[in-house]
Structures are given as C-alpha cells and as structure tokens.
Amino acid sequence: MKKGDMSAVFKILIAGFGWGIIGMFSRPLSAAGLSAVQITCVRSVIVAVGMAVILFVKDRSLLRIQLKDLWMFLGTGLLSIVFFNICYFLTIERAALAAASILLYTAPCFVLLMSAIFFREKITAQKTIALILAFAGCALVSGFSGGRMSLFALMTGIGSGFGYALYSIFGTLALKKYQPFTVTFYTFLVASAVMLPMSGVGVIMQVLTEDLYVLGNGLALGLISTLLPFIFYTAGLKQMEAGKASVLAFAEPLVAAIAGIMIFKEKLNTQNGAGIGLIFLAILLLNIQINMGRQRQ
C-alpha cells in the first residue's frame, strides 16, 4: 500500500474512532439532566461555531451560498441532523452503545430504498439480500426473544438510521454545487437555528457552567466526536474512494462496542452479537455493490 493510501486509511480510522466514542461524552450530559434535544443542540452549536472559525480562516468564499439553495440545508440540517441526533441520543440512553451504533448503521438500507424512489437507482438481488439481513439483524438486536432492548429504543435506533440516510439524499444534491465544508457548516448552522429556540438555552448554560466535568464533555462531544472526525473523514475522502472509506468507517460501531464494554460495563449476549453480525454483513454487501459499480465505470 502506498504512503498516501496509508495516510487516507489512518484519517478514516481516526474519524471512525471519534464517532465511536460519542457515548462517552453524551451519557454524562444526559446524567447531568440534559435531554436528547438539548444534547443535540449543544453538539450542533459547537460544530457550527467551529466550522465558522475554520472557514473564516481557511477560505471565506466557502461561506457563500445562494438563498434559493437553502432548502437543501433544511434537508441536511433539520430533517437529518436534528432528527437522527435526537433519535440516536434517545437510543444511547436506553440501549447498549454497540446496539445503538449498529442500528444507526442501517442507514445504507434506507439510502438504497430512497435512491430507488428519487434517483431511479436499480435495486439488485445483492441489495435485496442485504436489506433482508439488516432487517433480521435489527430483530435480533432488539431482543424479541428475551434481549434487553425496548421497542421504543428499537424504533429510535431505526429512526436514527433513517435520519442519517436523509443526509445522503439531500447531501448528494448539495455537494453537486457546494464544497463539503460549506455543506457541513450550513447543515449544522440550520440545525442550531432550529434547536436553540426549543432547547431551553438557560437550562443548558446552567448545567454546563455548574460543573467543569459536564462542560468538558459538552465540548468534547462537539469537537472530538463531531468536528474533528468530519475534518479527518473529509481529508481521507480526497485520497480514497467513498465506498472504501465508508467500509473503514465501520470502526465506529466496533469502537462503540469496546467503549460500552470497557467503560460502561455493558454485556452483549449471543443473540445481540448475532444481530450485530448480520447487520455488519448487510452493510458490507452494500459497500461491495458500490465498489463494483465504481469499477465498472
């Protein structure tokens, strides 16, 4: 493997690691009294401010967009980031980190279905098998046969995957016209604008400022588990195909599982493990399909 390829792999793995430890920072915020909505607000505002500083220093022209394109960022910011983050944090509060993370990674299945509807992409036999495996995996992860996950946690987990998938749909449209950093900035700016009026800013500030440990976790959530992973992932994408990068980003649920076991003393039973394995297999099949399609082009 060339030096440049190794650099790209390292960057993508760092991004996956940052996303995988998100529960380490969100759970203390939840324990301090912040709701899933408030935690999403904290994350969005920190990323929006951080991205604004980066773009102001890096290239101010990337801050320019046309107002007629605002609907794209309403899609990525409101329908995706706000919705999937709230669902994801609700799932983290009620389920093991590994289970919450793997349910989030059902997103490619939703992307397939929506791409077929909106972009007329063909659903192949391989894709159909992947969808069946993912559905079976979700059933096992949910614990219908005696596991620990509640129906509410299952629904919010799948909801997080659906919301995450919406980012691919709206983001694909936005990226045809704007740079990735521009799309991310306005995505989180819209998310922040939506979340601030409904999040109880006074309560958030009180909780964050009363305890430096809580404040540190809030900053870490926005910087270490959101802003920095995106920067590393974007840099890696410049040197690597998106399909390969998304496979490497599977480090996220693996890291989440390890963090859950080592830090929060979580235990995964055989049934949950089998479910996670099936969903992993489904996602791998989807990415193999993506890579094969690119090779034919």
Side-chain angles (χ1 to χ4, degrees):
M1 184 176 289
K2 298 179 180 179
K3 185 176 180 180
D5 294 335
M6 285 298 297
S7 173
V9 169
F10 177 75
K11 291 171 183 175
I12 299 299
L13 290 177
I14 288 293
F17 178 83
W19 288 323
I21 60 175
I22 187 174
M24 292 175 56
F25 308 124
S26 66
R27 283 186 170 177
L29 296 178
S30 178
L34 294 183
S35 66
V37 171
Q38 292 170 325
I39 294 174
T40 300
C41 180
V42 170
R43 187 185 194 192
S44 299
V45 170
I46 291 175
V47 174
V49 172
M51 286 298 301
V53 172
I54 291 174
L55 292 180
F56 189 81
V57 174
K58 177 182 173 64
D59 187 352
R60 298 178 190 179
S61 66
L62 295 179
L63 292 169
R64 302 193 194 105
I65 64 168
Q66 296 181 314
L67 288 178
K68 67 178 182 178
D69 297 325
L70 186 59
W71 65 272
M72 299 178 186
F73 304 110
L74 288 174
T76 57
L78 175 59
L79 298 182
S80 179
I81 295 299
V82 171
F83 179 71
F84 105 70
N85 270 275
I86 291 175
C87 286
Y88 190 42
F89 290 133
L90 285 172
T91 308
I92 287 177
E93 291 174 1
R94 294 165 173 79
L97 289 179
S101 183
I102 203 66
L103 286 174
L104 173 65
Y105 267 67
T106 58
C109 299
F110 291 112
V111 171
L112 278 183
L113 294 174
M114 288 188 285
S115 295
I117 295 173
F118 298 112
F119 302 138
R120 305 294 182 182
E121 294 183 4
K122 184 179 179 180
I123 297 182
T124 64
Q126 187 173 0
K127 293 178 181 179
T128 302
I129 293 173
L131 290 174
I132 295 173
L133 289 173
F135 180 81
C138 288
L140 289 174
V141 169
S142 70
F144 286 147
S145 301
R148 297 176 298 170
M149 181 176 284
S150 67
L151 178 60
F152 180 80
L154 172 64
M155 296 305 295
T156 56
I158 294 176
S160 69
F162 176 73
Y164 197 10
L166 288 176
Y167 188 88
S168 294
I169 301 301
F170 287 103
T172 295
L173 298 173
L175 286 169
K176 290 180 179 179
K177 190 169 184 179
Y178 298 103
Q179 294 294 320
F181 281 101
T182 302
V183 173
T184 301
F185 168 65
Y186 280 100
T187 292
F188 282 98
L189 182 65
V190 168
S192 299
V194 172
M195 297 302 298
L196 282 172
M198 57 187 289
S199 300
V201 178
V203 175
I204 293 176
M205 293 304 297
Q206 181 179 355
V207 171
L208 292 179
T209 55
E210 281 183 346
D211 190 335
L212 289 178
Y213 174 72
V214 176
L215 176 60
N217 278 283
L219 292 173
L221 174 67
L223 298 176
I224 298 176
S225 281
T226 309
L227 181 58
L228 289 179
F230 172 77
I231 292 175
F232 275 106
Y233 191 77
T234 303
L237 281 177
K238 292 180 180 180
Q239 304 168 270
M240 179 180 292
E241 293 180 355
K244 293 180 180 178
S246 61
V247 172
L248 288 172
F250 295 163
E252 176 182 352
L254 291 178
V255 171
I258 294 171
I261 293 171
M262 296 185 64
I263 298 174
F264 299 107
K265 309 302 180 184
E266 294 175 350
K267 295 181 179 179
L268 297 179
N269 58 34
T270 303
Q271 176 181 307
N272 298 147
I276 289 174
L278 287 178
I279 298 176
F280 261 121
L281 181 58
I283 299 169
L284 286 173
L285 282 174
L286 295 182
N287 280 275
I288 289 173
Q289 180 76 28
I290 291 172
N291 284 325
M292 289 177 63
R294 284 198 173 93
Q295 291 173 1
R296 294 193 187 103
Q297 293 177 352

